[in-house]
């Protein structure tokens, strides 16, 4: 069994590893969790004792196989609850993250497996992120940032990098949601801002926005 705090640390390390970081520093973990590096050091010792992380000085932290499976299970619960909240309780996609943060710590494996079945075994959450299966396996799709598209290229919106309420609410106002076809009409050399077409609607978006939208090229 792990405490809520221990689970949050495992999830943070898991996400950092998914981002391609090898040998994760205590400073990176501290930044991810907005805590002190000294607190991270203390927690890493506890997690190391529980055989879920390996820490080597100057080489950083990495999850063990047990650590990866444990962290993936937490992420699985979080994303399944997000699907449930959106599909069954009519939450909007900008409302679900904080609620799912609380629900992800429920321990009952039976509940989560039946939730998965009840939802029809979804593969992705409302933000386009893949849902690990009950063995911790994660299926990813080939995707690119919208900012990498050139003029006249087209893609389907499949996810977001920034899942903050503010960003998702902004996308809702612009009519940009998962599954929408996006075509780049113009790309400004000065600031890499884009003129795009979404559902026959012409929009201008900044490079910051384009760097937070994932598309699958079509």
């Amino acid at each position: 069994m792990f405490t809520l705090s221990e689970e949050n640390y495992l999830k943070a390390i898991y996400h950092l590893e998914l981002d391609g970081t090898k040998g994760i520093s205590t400073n990176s973990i501290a930044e991810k969790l907005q805590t002190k590096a000294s607190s991270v050091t203390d927690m890493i010792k506890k997690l190391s004792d529980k055989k879920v992380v390996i820490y080597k000085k100057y080489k950083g932290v990495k999850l063990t196989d047990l650590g990866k499976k444990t962290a993936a299970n937490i992420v699985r619960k979080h994303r399944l609850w997000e699907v449930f909240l959106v599909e069954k309780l009519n939450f909007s996609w900008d409302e679900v993250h904080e609620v799912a943060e609380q629900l992800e710590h429920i321990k009952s494996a039976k509940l989560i497996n039946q939730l998965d079945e009840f939802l029809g075994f979804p593969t992705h959450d409302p933000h386009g992120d893949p849902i690990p299966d009950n063995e911790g396996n994660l299926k990813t799709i080939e995707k690119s940032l919208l900012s990498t598209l050139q003029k006249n290229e087209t893609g389907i919106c499949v996810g977001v990098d920034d899942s903050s309420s503010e960003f998702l609410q902004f996308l809702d106002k612009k009519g940009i949601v998962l599954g929408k076809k996006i075509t780049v009409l113009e790309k400004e050399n000065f600031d890499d801002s884009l003129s795009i077409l979404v559902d026959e609607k012409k929009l201008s978006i900044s490079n910051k926005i384009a760097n937070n939208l994932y598309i699958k090229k079509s």
Side-chain angles (χ1 to χ4, degrees), residues 86 91-96 126-127 160 168 171-172 176-178:
V86 168
F91 278 67
S92 60
W93 68 338
D94 61 280
E95 296 176 315
V96 295
H127 309 116
V160 294
L168 298 178
L171 295 181
D172 279 336
I176 301 173
V177 296
L178 301 192

Side-chain angles (χ1 to χ4, degrees), residues 63-88:
L63 294 170
T64 63
D65 289 342
L66 175 61
K68 287 177 184 176
K69 188 171 182 178
T70 303
N73 185 53
I74 300 164
V75 172
R76 176 177 182 241
K77 289 187 284 185
H78 181 104
R79 293 177 178 173
L80 284 172
W81 282 120
E82 287 193 335
V83 175
F84 175 77
L85 290 167
V86 168
E87 292 190 358
K88 305 301 179 182

